[in-house]
Amino acid sequence: MDTETLHEQFKRKRRLESRKILLFQLLLLVLIFLFWQITTHYRILDPLIFSSPLAVAKLLVTKVMDATLFPHVWFTLMETVIGFLLGTLLGTLIAISLWSSITVAKVMDPYLVVLNAMPKVALGPMILVIFGPNVLSVIVMAISISVIVSTIVIFSAFQQVNENYLKVMQLFNASKAQTFKHVVLPASIPTIISTLKVNVGLSWVGVIVGEFLVSSKGLGYLIISGFQIFNFNLVFLSLIMIVILATIMYKCVEMIERFLLKKFNF
């Protein structure tokens, strides 16, 4: 049996494994919703508090028909994407500046540790006072939650690049910028992509918390409104929309991951 045939068999086996995993994931999701519906229908769980899939589905249809849901969805999605991109970009730029100067990195190290340990949600009121009750405050909240994690993780990846590669660049008298472009950055691509995946969740947390505090629209605003008027159908509908949108963003990052890993031959 030649190598090409073995490779095709391996690829076929991986595809079958992926489909089997997807099938089990969908089955688990169906079971969760069935459990939710059955337990609320027979009042094992209080339907007033836990709602039910059918009640949420009816509300979804109503909101779609009267076109009152999608403006909130698009508003939150816009804030999250902007916060996600800016948080990752800013974290990467800070990590590059730290890598460029060992002295700066050593000076900033304790501050990064302290900032990473600080509960970012507690900064919400301060951000509100500084930027005002507007969209900018929500985006800044999302950035503040993801930027320090991005900086620490990406900077660590820069530091862990194989020393032999760096020594080869030194032998050819490569500048720091050339070393970064041709060695450090390509070697750190997998870690940067992993950071993107983490930042998807962090950005959603930041935006929803920000909307809790300042927004008059968005999915976070709907959750707060639902709690205030005891409309838990609205709360669960908003939570499900957040889960769906976060999953779509995560899948988009996975597509970028496959493209970059293939391009850089990882």
Side-chain angles (χ1 to χ4, degrees), residues 28 43 54 57 90 99 105 107 121 131 163 167 217 229 263:
L28 180 59
R43 296 187 175 274
L54 287 180
L90 186 57
W99 179 84
V107 169
V121 176
F131 296 98
E163 283 289 334
K167 289 177 181 178
K217 56 182 173 179
I229 61 176
K263 181 177 180 180

Side-chain angles (χ1 to χ4, degrees), residues 13-261:
K13 185 177 180 181
R14 287 194 62 180
R15 284 196 297 268
L16 289 173
E17 184 68 22
S18 298
R19 290 171 184 170
K20 185 168 71 173
I21 291 172
L22 179 60
L23 179 63
F24 281 120
Q25 289 173 336
L26 293 174
L27 180 61
L28 180 59
L29 182 63
V30 170
L31 290 174
I32 290 171
F33 276 96
L34 278 175
F35 175 80
W36 182 15
Q37 180 62 42
I38 291 170
T39 52
T40 52
H41 178 76
Y42 290 102
R43 296 187 175 274
I44 299 171
L45 296 176
D46 189 346
L48 179 63
I49 298 175
F50 292 96
S51 185
S52 72
L54 287 180
V56 172
K58 289 177 182 177
L59 180 60
L60 174 61
V61 172
T62 301
K63 290 288 186 181
V64 170
M65 295 299 292
D66 63 16
T68 58
L69 177 64
F70 290 119
H72 294 283
V73 170
W74 288 118
F75 187 73
T76 300
L77 184 61
M78 177 269 296
E79 293 173 325
T80 305
V81 171
I82 293 174
F84 167 75
L85 293 176
L86 291 180
T88 305
L89 178 61
L90 186 57
T92 303
L93 292 176
I94 295 173
I96 292 172
S97 67
L98 294 175
W99 179 84
S100 301
S101 173
I102 298 299
T103 302
V104 173
K106 289 180 178 179
V107 169
M108 293 302 298
D109 182 64
Y111 294 97
L112 289 174
V113 172
V114 170
L115 288 172
N116 188 46
M118 181 184 297
K120 313 303 183 300
V121 176
L123 299 175
M126 185 183 298
I127 292 172
L128 174 60
V129 170
I130 295 172
F131 296 98
N134 51 46
V135 177
L136 182 58
S137 291
V138 178
I139 294 174
V140 170
M141 189 72 202
I143 293 172
S144 68
I145 287 182
S146 61
V147 65
I148 301 300
V149 173
S150 300
T151 300
I152 292 174
V153 174
I154 294 173
F155 177 58
S156 297
F158 291 166
Q159 290 182 306
Q160 292 169 8
V161 173
N162 194 315
E163 283 289 334
N164 293 327
Y165 297 153
L166 301 179
K167 289 177 181 178
V168 169
M169 296 299 289
Q170 289 173 358
L171 286 174
F172 286 97
N173 294 319
S175 66
K176 199 137 190 169
Q178 290 173 324
T179 301
F180 179 81
K181 179 182 178 181
H182 296 289
V183 175
V184 176
L185 182 60
S188 304
I189 290 294
T191 302
I192 294 174
I193 294 171
S194 298
T195 305
L196 286 174
K197 291 180 176 180
V198 172
N199 282 353
V200 168
L202 293 178
S203 298
W204 277 100
V205 170
V207 165
I208 297 304
V209 170
E211 289 183 348
F212 283 170
L213 295 173
V214 304
S215 188
S216 59
K217 56 182 173 179
L219 294 174
Y221 168 75
L222 291 182
I223 292 172
I224 290 296
S225 299
F227 275 118
Q228 289 174 342
I229 61 176
F230 292 94
N231 184 353
F232 290 98
N233 293 338
L234 181 59
V235 173
F236 277 98
L237 174 59
S238 302
L239 291 173
I240 289 172
M241 292 304 301
I242 290 170
V243 170
I244 292 171
L245 293 171
T247 302
I248 292 172
M249 279 187 64
Y250 188 87
K251 290 298 180 183
C252 289
V253 172
E254 281 192 333
M255 291 173 61
I256 296 171
E257 176 183 31
R258 286 194 292 269
F259 171 76
L260 290 178
L261 293 183

